[in-house]
Amino acid sequence: MTHYDVHGVSIPALGFGTWQLRGDGARDGVEHALSLGYRHIDTAQVYKNEAEVGAGLEASDVARGDVFLTTKVWGTNVAPSKLTASVDESLRKLGTDYVDLLLLHWPNDEIELEAQLVALEGVREAGKARLIGVSNYPAGMLRDALELVPDLATDQVEHHVFLEQDRLYDIVRERGMVLTAYSPLAQGAVLEDETIREIADARGVGPAQIALAWILGQDRAVAIPKASSAAHRESNLRAADLALEDDERAALDALTKNRRLVDPDFAPDWSA
Ligand code: NAP
């Protein structure tokens, strides 16, 4: 599996997403993912599973220091007066003294960006986050954030074979960051696509593996598929070592890339 060095910290290119995993499903899912060989786990305050993710880490034989763990601060907690305490609460639930990556989950224009980022930096300076970054920031907003904090690690955004992120790739490559692709399987829609299925069938692998290999074949790309099924977790991990041929990649590049699935009413103007 590829690892990217981002500001001195190693990030495994394939991680395990935990949105919508709850209770034993989250705990057992994380423990199982680690037993398979995943070393990167993605959660968030709003997923309401940090305690179960922490329990999965605790139950695993894998040492905390060998796992790259991300959580995200929800919008109601980004005010400087609340951010630090909310991260302390996340750490308590996760059963750890630090996360490897701490993200602002969504842009929030009710609080000055600089104030949010200063608070985030404070958490890093206190040793409670090794890296900091953002999520759901369009390119212009990411550039604004980088003016204030030049060493952000990632922008975690929706990205899959049906939605391109070329402007963000330009920035993350220029700045030594990574682009973290969420919903990398388009929440299952990749399974239905004829082009993907043909490539998968010809290789004797699953369509999800082809969709993940398309993302992971791009420089500075990280993907965090979610799977509640053990078989899916195993199959997705194998995709980390699957390289596409040029003609396969070209066929996937040619798919229409404007299908956005995660677009709540508080989302930013994506063209900003
Ligand atoms: P996703 O990973 O694109 O798709 C998950 C769906 O694909 C599930 O229905 C899963 O089924 C299915 N699946 C997984 N592996 C499969 C395989 N090998 N074969 C067939 N089906 C497979 O969607 P997502 O959960 O939206 O995104 C992944 C992660 O990104 C989240 O868990 C979260 O950590 C992160 N995320 C972040 C944000 C953000 O705002 N920053 C937003 C959305 C998501 P089963 O569950 O039945 O196995």
Side-chain angles (χ1 to χ4, degrees):
M1 178 183 310
T2 301
H3 286 65
Y4 290 106
D5 183 303
V6 179
H7 311 318
V9 178
S10 178
I11 307 184
L14 186 79
F16 179 56
T18 67
W19 182 34
Q20 293 170 327
L21 294 180
R22 292 283 179 88
D24 288 349
R27 181 202 165 283
D28 297 350
V30 167
E31 185 184 7
H32 178 245
L34 292 169
S35 77
L36 289 172
Y38 286 87
R39 292 293 179 268
H40 175 165
I41 308 288
D42 181 87
T43 183
Q45 293 174 345
V46 79
Y47 298 171
K48 307 239 177 285
N49 65 9
E50 287 176 311
E52 290 78 12
V53 168
L57 284 164
E58 175 65 26
S60 160
D61 294 334
V62 179
R64 170 68 189 91
D66 292 335
V67 181
F68 185 89
L69 177 64
T70 302
T71 197
K72 315 181 195 83
V73 182
W74 189 242
T76 47
N77 292 330
V78 296
S81 60
K82 292 190 179 166
L83 190 140
T84 309
S86 88
V87 174
D88 286 344
E89 175 73 8
S90 289
L91 294 177
R92 192 186 61 71
K93 289 179 178 164
L94 287 163
T96 183
D97 296 338
Y98 70 97
V99 286
D100 297 274
L101 177 61
L102 182 67
L103 304 178
L104 297 175
H105 204 146
W106 284 87
N108 180 337
D109 58 13
E110 287 170 16
I111 313 271
E112 195 194 4
L113 177 59
E114 184 167 5
Q116 298 177 49
L117 290 171
V118 166
L120 206 63
E121 276 188 304
V123 172
R124 180 175 58 179
E125 277 158 23
K128 296 174 187 174
R130 296 173 77 204
L131 294 170
I132 56 176
V134 294
S135 177
N136 295 299
Y137 273 48
M141 293 180 77
L142 178 59
R143 287 208 186 273
D144 291 345
L146 285 164
E147 288 284 313
L148 297 164
V149 181
D151 60 351
L152 296 174
T154 195
D155 192 354
Q156 182 182 126
V157 290
E158 181 175 345
H159 178 46
H160 41 68
V161 73
F162 308 127
L163 184 67
E164 58 92 7
Q165 290 290 4
D166 292 349
R167 290 198 307 154
L168 288 178
Y169 270 120
D170 287 346
I171 299 174
V172 301
R173 289 172 184 150
E174 183 188 307
R175 303 297 295 250
M177 305 167 66
V178 288
L179 186 148
T180 307
Y182 76 63
S183 305
L185 304 173
Q187 300 183 337
V190 302
L191 307 176
E192 312 302 327
D193 183 84
E194 204 49 45
T195 304
I196 300 174
R197 293 187 71 92
E198 275 174 22
I199 295 170
D201 288 349
R203 279 186 169 248
V205 300
Q209 292 175 309
I210 295 296
L212 290 173
W214 178 82
I215 295 175
L216 296 173
Q218 298 172 93
D219 183 36
R220 309 302 289 186
V222 167
I224 49 168
K226 167 255 182 183
S228 47
S229 115
H232 288 165
R233 285 194 280 272
E234 195 166 356
S235 148
N236 294 345
L237 185 61
R238 286 204 305 273
D241 296 314
L242 187 68
L244 296 178
E245 301 295 338
D246 289 348
D247 60 328
E248 295 171 327
R249 175 161 289 283
L252 299 172
D253 287 347
L255 296 173
T256 308
K257 302 243 182 294
N258 61 3
R259 203 189 309 176
R260 186 180 292 281
L261 303 168
V262 180
D263 198 13
D265 54 10
F266 55 80
D269 171 2
W270 295 111
S271 65

